[in-house]
Amino acid sequence: MLKFWAIEASGLSSSPSTPTQVTKQPTFPLESYKHEPERLEARLHSSSSPPDTGQKFGLSPGQSVAKPPTPASTPCTTSKAAASPQPPAASEGMLEKLELEDEAVGESESDIYMRFMRSHKCYDIVPTSSKLVVFDTTLQVKKAFFALVANGVRAAPLWESKKQSFVGMLTITDFINILHRYYKSPMVQIYELEEHKIETWRELYLQETFKPLVNISPDASLFDAVYSLIKNKIHRLPVIDPVSGNALYILTHKRILKFLQLFVSEMPKPAFMKKNLDELGIGTYHNIAFIHPDTPIIKALNIFVDRRISALPVVDESGKVVDIYSKFDVINLAAEKTYNNLDITVTQALQHRSQYFEGVVKCSKLETLETIVDRIVKAEVHRLVVVNEADSIVGIISLSDILQALVLTPAEAECVRSHHELQRDGETGPETGSAKQKENEAE
């Protein structure tokens, strides 16, 4: 039997007694409230404390869940606890939540999104129902990737029975790394993919690059989640209850930005939202990697690994952007069981999506950040290709770039201001004291 289990986030009567069982639950896509904003409104009426999902994933004695670096450990970036979240319709309640400090309200509105993130917890963003697929590390790699495809998810937390804890994540990047490392030719079977267990792959591949699992508590702020995603350069952040060890959800840039967008109309609009990409300097505009329609898949995979990027614009002979090949597209090699022939072209590999693919989502450097955010959220993509009038590549702007601009850059600016104020107070303090002393001596 497959050594993985699917968990419905809204509640499990009991956890699988062994990792070889599959707990069958109604299928809920991860983006379950995607087209149902009223579900989120109902969700926000609930308590900010996570429910007991029924899982019994206890931590072994003396072991703690790995914690990501948070702004609390750096100067000027402490988060404040928030009141219980209110539904989107309650504008007054929303404004009250953002009044974390009386002084902050009177200041520039440039940090409004940062304060919003600090005033919400990670648990606020978890949908009422979702499916979390968990793999035991003794599961075969091949079966794990097939299970990702079958369950419609892009990543899964890894459970190690010996340690009785979560030890990592299995993502599409692992699939790409395996193909990149072991593919020889269409005539040679990839033994490592066919026979290796997840734990074997982790021992071989991570022996020199091993890092503890980056995760976050449901009670941590969304600001901490954004900080952890961006500073650790990861795309998925598991929400794990530090007390029970239960995995509740997987946070992504897309989910967080979508959550923020639901409230944007109720908040004051910062001036920088009306500036264009050129003025703000947001995105990557140098040394952009791209491929051609006839590029072999194995070459695209090599670029993914060597450049550590998540998508490659496809450019025709005239330099026009005609398509995009992302890491997510690679998982279809597993779905169609065509990973043994990576000499096929990108065009051949992308034929599977021709029916529903609406084209590359693009933008111009002269469009405002407000327009860009709205477009990327509505299109539900992870990046926009920045093009010129001839539709040639100028750059790439990602969800990470956007969250950095909306949330972290204002936080860094606030930190600098606070630092300067402290310096100024330090400089004026002694002078004031000295003046007082002279007055007393004169009297």
Side-chain angles (χ1 to χ4, degrees):
M1 296 181 67
L2 293 184
K3 297 184 181 180
F4 75 93
W5 56 90
I7 301 161
E8 184 186 348
S10 59
L12 254 180
S13 58
S14 61
S15 61
S17 58
T18 71
T20 60
Q21 295 181 356
V22 178
T23 304
K24 294 185 178 179
Q25 299 290 345
T27 300
F28 296 102
L30 279 177
E31 301 275 341
S32 59
Y33 78 86
K34 186 161 56 178
H35 302 298
E36 302 175 65
E38 67 276 7
R39 288 175 61 90
L40 181 62
E41 181 171 341
R43 168 71 186 81
L44 291 176
H45 281 294
S46 65
S47 167
S48 287
S49 298
D52 182 359
T53 61
Q55 297 168 267
K56 306 300 180 184
F57 298 154
L59 296 174
S60 56
Q63 185 178 9
S64 61
V65 176
K67 295 183 179 180
T70 64
S73 62
T74 60
C76 314
T77 53
T78 54
S79 299
K80 291 184 178 291
S84 298
Q86 300 295 321
S91 299
E92 292 182 3
M94 191 65 239
L95 292 175
E96 288 176 7
K97 280 178 63 58
L98 292 174
E99 292 177 357
L100 301 180
E101 297 177 359
D102 293 338
E103 296 178 1
V105 179
E107 291 178 358
S108 167
E109 294 167 351
S110 63
D111 65 353
I112 190 76
Y113 302 140
M114 175 195 73
R115 288 187 279 128
F116 174 88
M117 292 297 181
R118 283 181 172 170
S119 68
H120 284 85
K121 297 182 179 182
C122 291
Y123 188 68
D124 295 334
I125 208 171
V126 178
T128 50
S129 293
S130 64
K131 181 167 61 178
L132 182 66
V133 177
V134 175
F135 294 142
D136 189 280
T137 54
T138 58
L139 178 67
Q140 280 186 324
V141 169
K142 177 182 175 180
K143 291 180 179 179
F145 290 125
F146 285 167
L148 286 181
V149 173
N151 286 278
V153 296
R154 302 186 180 200
L158 297 176
W159 175 261
E160 187 170 324
S161 299
K162 294 176 184 176
K163 295 181 179 179
Q164 283 293 289
S165 67
F166 291 99
V167 294
M169 295 281 290
L170 188 78
T171 70
I172 296 171
T173 300
D174 291 296
F175 185 53
I176 292 172
N177 284 329
I178 290 174
L179 297 178
H180 165 75
R181 176 173 285 204
Y182 297 115
Y183 179 75
K184 299 294 187 297
S185 77
M187 304 302 293
V188 181
Q189 189 178 43
I190 306 175
Y191 169 81
E192 290 79 7
L193 181 59
E194 300 290 336
E195 303 297 333
H196 277 183
K197 296 178 180 178
I198 295 174
E199 60 187 4
T200 310
W201 162 244
R202 283 172 54 81
E203 288 170 4
L204 291 174
Y205 181 70
L206 299 179
Q207 56 184 349
E208 297 177 358
T209 60
F210 177 78
K211 294 179 182 178
L213 172 65
V214 178
N215 63 79
I216 198 163
S217 163
D219 285 326
S221 72
L222 283 178
F223 179 89
D224 291 346
V226 172
Y227 182 92
S228 190
L229 281 165
I230 293 177
K231 296 306 179 184
N232 287 292
K233 297 180 179 179
I234 55 178
H235 295 93
R236 283 163 183 80
L237 182 64
V239 180
I240 297 180
D241 185 342
V243 178
S244 66
N246 292 352
L248 303 177
Y249 190 64
I250 298 176
L251 279 180
T252 63
H253 300 85
K254 189 200 269 188
R255 168 70 68 172
I256 294 173
L257 188 60
K258 190 179 183 73
F259 182 78
L260 173 63
Q261 186 76 347
L262 290 171
F263 295 92
V264 160
S265 62
E266 301 168 14
M267 291 185 270
K269 197 174 300 296
F272 65 76
M273 291 294 283
K274 292 295 184 181
K275 293 185 178 181
N276 62 42
L277 296 184
D278 198 31
E279 293 173 302
L280 295 170
I282 301 172
T284 303
Y285 300 97
H286 302 287
N287 197 22
I288 305 297
F290 62 89
I291 52 178
H292 297 288
D294 59 353
T295 299
I297 287 297
I298 186 61
K299 185 175 180 180
L301 301 189
N302 293 343
I303 297 173
F304 281 141
V305 174
D306 296 340
R307 296 286 298 272
R308 299 190 68 180
I309 54 179
S310 58
L312 287 163
V314 182
V315 177
D316 65 13
E317 294 178 357
S318 65
K320 183 178 179 180
V321 179
V322 294
D323 211 328
I324 191 163
Y325 188 67
S326 70
K327 280 187 173 182
F328 181 65
D329 292 308
V330 179
I331 201 65
N332 286 285
L333 298 174
E336 298 169 2
K337 301 181 181 180
T338 55
Y339 52 80
N340 272 317
N341 183 7
L342 301 181
D343 292 344
I344 62 172
T345 67
V346 169
T347 300
Q348 290 173 308
L350 289 176
Q351 285 177 352
H352 68 276
R353 72 173 190 194
S354 58
Q355 294 180 351
Y356 61 86
F357 183 60
E358 297 179 359
V360 184
V361 187
K362 309 168 189 174
C363 67
S364 160
K365 285 185 75 172
L366 300 180
E367 290 183 281
T368 65
L369 182 56
E370 180 182 15
T371 300
I372 298 300
V373 172
D374 187 60
R375 184 174 304 159
I376 202 167
V377 170
K378 287 182 177 177
E380 296 184 345
V381 293
H382 292 83
R383 84 282 304 160
L384 300 182
V385 179
V386 186
V387 297
N388 57 21
E389 295 178 355
D391 245 7
S392 298
I393 300 177
V394 173
I396 298 281
I397 181 165
S398 67
L399 291 172
S400 180
D401 294 327
I402 291 173
L403 284 174
Q404 171 71 45
L406 299 185
V407 181
L408 295 193
T409 297
E412 291 163 0
E414 181 193 67
C415 186
V416 170
R417 283 196 304 270
S418 300
H419 180 67
H420 287 164
E421 287 173 5
L422 288 173
Q423 281 187 324
R424 187 177 63 236
D425 292 345
E427 290 171 359
T428 57
E431 290 179 10
T432 305
S434 177
K436 272 285 184 189
Q437 186 179 359
K438 288 179 180 179
E439 286 178 16
N440 292 335
E441 288 174 355
E443 291 176 358

